[in-house]
Amino acid sequence: RVKLVAEGSVYGDIKQTAAEQVVYLLNVSGTPQSYAVPVGKLRSASALVDLQSGESLAIGGSSVTVDLPPLSGRFLLVR
Protein backbone atom coordinates (compact mmCIF):
# COMPACT_ATOMS: atom_id res chain seq x y z
CA ARG A 1 0.00 0.00 0.00
CA VAL A 2 1.27 3.43 -0.95
CA LYS A 3 -0.32 6.53 0.61
CA LEU A 4 -1.33 8.94 -2.13
CA VAL A 5 -3.27 11.75 -0.45
CA ALA A 6 -4.92 12.67 2.85
CA GLU A 7 -5.83 16.34 2.51
CA GLY A 8 -9.09 18.04 3.43
CA SER A 9 -11.87 15.78 2.25
CA VAL A 10 -9.89 13.69 -0.27
CA TYR A 11 -8.11 10.48 0.70
CA GLY A 12 -6.32 8.01 -1.53
CA ASP A 13 -4.00 5.02 -1.67
CA ILE A 14 -2.41 2.82 -4.28
CA LYS A 15 -2.98 -0.87 -3.57
CA GLN A 16 -0.62 -3.18 -5.41
CA THR A 17 0.47 -6.72 -6.01
CA ALA A 18 3.36 -7.91 -8.12
CA ALA A 19 1.04 -7.97 -11.15
CA GLU A 20 -1.24 -4.93 -10.81
CA GLN A 21 -2.00 -1.60 -9.16
CA VAL A 22 -5.34 -0.11 -8.14
CA VAL A 23 -5.74 3.55 -7.19
CA TYR A 24 -8.41 4.12 -4.53
CA LEU A 25 -9.73 7.67 -4.05
CA LEU A 26 -12.40 8.79 -1.57
CA ASN A 27 -14.28 12.09 -1.32
CA VAL A 28 -15.86 12.52 2.13
CA SER A 29 -17.35 15.97 1.44
CA GLY A 30 -20.80 16.91 0.19
CA THR A 31 -19.36 18.73 -2.83
CA PRO A 32 -17.53 17.43 -5.93
CA GLN A 33 -13.74 17.27 -5.67
CA SER A 34 -10.92 16.30 -8.00
CA TYR A 35 -7.43 14.94 -7.48
CA ALA A 36 -4.42 14.96 -9.82
CA VAL A 37 -2.82 11.51 -9.51
CA PRO A 38 0.95 11.91 -9.97
CA VAL A 39 2.02 9.61 -12.80
CA GLY A 40 5.42 9.12 -11.14
CA LYS A 41 3.71 7.05 -8.41
CA LEU A 42 2.32 4.60 -10.99
CA ARG A 43 3.98 1.78 -12.84
CA SER A 44 4.25 2.19 -16.58
CA ALA A 45 0.68 2.81 -17.74
CA SER A 46 -1.43 4.43 -20.43
CA ALA A 47 -4.77 4.69 -18.60
CA LEU A 48 -6.68 4.42 -15.34
CA VAL A 49 -9.83 2.30 -15.76
CA ASP A 50 -12.71 2.76 -13.30
CA LEU A 51 -13.59 -0.73 -12.03
CA GLN A 52 -17.25 0.18 -11.46
CA SER A 53 -18.19 2.30 -14.49
CA GLY A 54 -15.58 1.13 -17.03
CA GLU A 55 -14.59 4.75 -17.74
CA SER A 56 -11.02 5.04 -19.03
CA LEU A 57 -8.89 8.06 -18.10
CA ALA A 58 -5.93 8.52 -20.45
CA ILE A 59 -2.59 9.21 -18.81
CA GLY A 60 -0.59 12.03 -20.34
CA GLY A 61 1.89 14.41 -18.80
CA SER A 62 2.89 14.29 -15.16
CA SER A 63 -0.58 13.69 -13.69
CA VAL A 64 -4.10 12.52 -14.51
CA THR A 65 -7.06 14.34 -12.96
CA VAL A 66 -9.79 12.20 -11.42
CA ASP A 67 -13.19 13.74 -10.66
CA LEU A 68 -14.79 12.59 -7.41
CA PRO A 69 -18.54 13.02 -6.90
CA PRO A 70 -19.74 13.98 -3.40
CA LEU A 71 -19.53 11.27 -0.73
CA SER A 72 -18.09 8.66 -3.06
CA GLY A 73 -15.03 6.58 -3.83
CA ARG A 74 -13.43 5.31 -7.03
CA PHE A 75 -11.33 2.22 -7.71
CA LEU A 76 -9.10 2.75 -10.76
CA LEU A 77 -7.08 -0.07 -12.31
CA VAL A 78 -3.70 1.03 -13.68
CA ARG A 79 -3.35 -0.25 -17.27
Side-chain angles (χ1 to χ4, degrees), residues 2-78:
V2 175
K3 179 181 170 184
L4 206 62
V5 62
E7 296 176 2
S9 58
V10 177
Y11 299 89
D13 287 328
I14 298 174
K15 311 287 186 176
Q16 55 192 2
T17 66
E20 64 185 11
Q21 285 184 306
V22 173
V23 175
Y24 171 67
L25 294 170
L26 177 66
N27 175 9
V28 297
S29 83
T31 58
Q33 303 290 321
S34 63
Y35 178 70
V37 177
V39 173
K41 297 253 184 183
L42 306 175
R43 295 180 186 151
S44 179
S46 61
L48 297 177
V49 178
D50 188 300
L51 292 173
Q52 292 177 308
S53 71
E55 177 186 7
S56 182
L57 304 171
I59 294 175
S62 61
S63 66
V64 58
T65 300
V66 178
D67 293 323
L68 301 166
L71 302 172
S72 68
R74 294 185 76 177
F75 290 92
L76 303 154
L77 179 64
V78 177

